[in-house]
Amino acid sequence: MFGIHDLTLFMISGLLLNLMPGPDSLLIMSRSATQGWRAGSAAALGIGAGTMVHIFAAALGLSALLATSATAFTAVKWVGAAYIVYVGIGMLRSRLKTPADADAAQARARAATAQPLPYRRIFFQGFLTNVLNPKVALFFLAFVPQFISANAASKPLAFLILGSIFNFNGMLYCHGLALFTAFASARLNIKPMAALWMNRTMGGLFLALGARLALSEQH
């Protein structure tokens, strides 16, 4: 139907690919661990929105430019890497907050909590982390067409259907990851200081991922 074949294999392969760690998973885990599952879900929704941008761009043939133009690929790569590094620096600079009306002694005695981010900002973090990663665009161009018949009546339509299925399954996994991370953090009773350093550790990983993306080659 719609020129799509081996749909079951596509869904299984997509699930396995979603299990691979990357900037998206790290962002979801970081926000879920420090602010709860709702923050992780906000990041997941932003990632899903970014994925849809890649899907529509690839279906319309716009992402092919990234595969054929070294200049376009390099430009998007550096912008994406810079944003991921920016997010990482923000995590590294996380601080503790205390009640405004507490005196110095009480502030030292009380358990402080990591400053939370608004869900809207977390959503856009997820969106930009995904949409500025050219590897995602190249992935869709390389992976999805393998499941579209050469004689498909409308290849863009088939691409959109497969991309939407992939994104839907990915969202199920991402929200599950957010819930699991938040639950594990609650069960382990992570202290505010530990949560702060977890956030900073994730920030360091984001810096490493940004550097890796910046140094990646076009294939």
Side-chain angles (χ1 to χ4, degrees):
M1 184 179 295
F2 301 108
I4 297 171
H5 60 84
D6 297 320
L7 181 59
T8 302
L9 177 60
F10 173 81
M11 294 176 67
I12 294 174
S13 301
L15 176 61
L16 294 176
L17 288 168
N18 276 311
L19 294 175
M20 297 177 63
D24 294 344
S25 298
L26 286 176
L27 182 63
I28 293 170
M29 293 174 66
S30 174
R31 294 309 175 202
S32 297
T34 56
Q35 289 186 233
W37 68 268
R38 289 182 178 84
S41 290
L45 290 173
I47 290 165
T51 300
M52 288 307 300
V53 171
H54 286 296
I55 291 170
F56 276 100
L60 296 174
L62 299 179
S63 292
L65 179 64
L66 295 177
T68 58
S69 171
T71 301
F73 179 88
T74 301
V76 175
K77 179 183 71 174
W78 279 102
V79 172
Y83 182 75
I84 290 175
V85 169
Y86 169 77
V87 173
I89 291 174
M91 291 181 176
L92 286 173
R93 296 178 64 188
S94 297
R95 297 187 179 184
L96 295 176
K97 68 173 184 178
T98 54
D101 57 348
D103 57 27
Q106 290 175 325
R108 287 192 296 267
R110 290 188 180 184
T113 56
Q115 290 184 351
L117 290 177
Y119 293 151
R120 179 182 297 180
R121 183 174 175 183
I122 294 173
F123 174 89
F124 280 108
Q125 278 189 345
F127 176 78
L128 292 176
T129 297
N130 184 277
V131 81
L132 293 178
N133 187 349
K135 291 290 188 178
V136 179
L138 295 180
F139 159 76
F140 279 111
L141 286 175
F143 178 67
V144 176
Q146 298 181 44
F147 299 89
I148 300 176
S149 301
N151 59 353
S154 176
K155 292 183 177 63
L157 177 60
F159 201 109
L160 287 173
I161 293 173
L162 287 174
S164 297
I165 292 173
F166 178 89
N167 198 25
F168 177 78
N169 291 335
M171 285 295 94
L172 292 178
Y173 166 75
C174 288
H175 286 289
L177 180 63
L179 286 170
F180 173 79
T181 304
F183 174 78
S185 299
R187 292 285 293 181
L188 293 174
N189 194 24
I190 297 177
K191 301 299 182 182
M193 184 60 72
L196 174 66
W197 281 104
M198 179 184 297
N199 208 34
R200 290 178 175 175
T201 299
M202 289 296 185
L205 292 175
F206 261 72
L207 290 179
L209 285 168
R212 181 179 178 182
L213 179 59
L215 296 175
S216 64
E217 299 293 334
Q218 184 181 20
H219 296 292

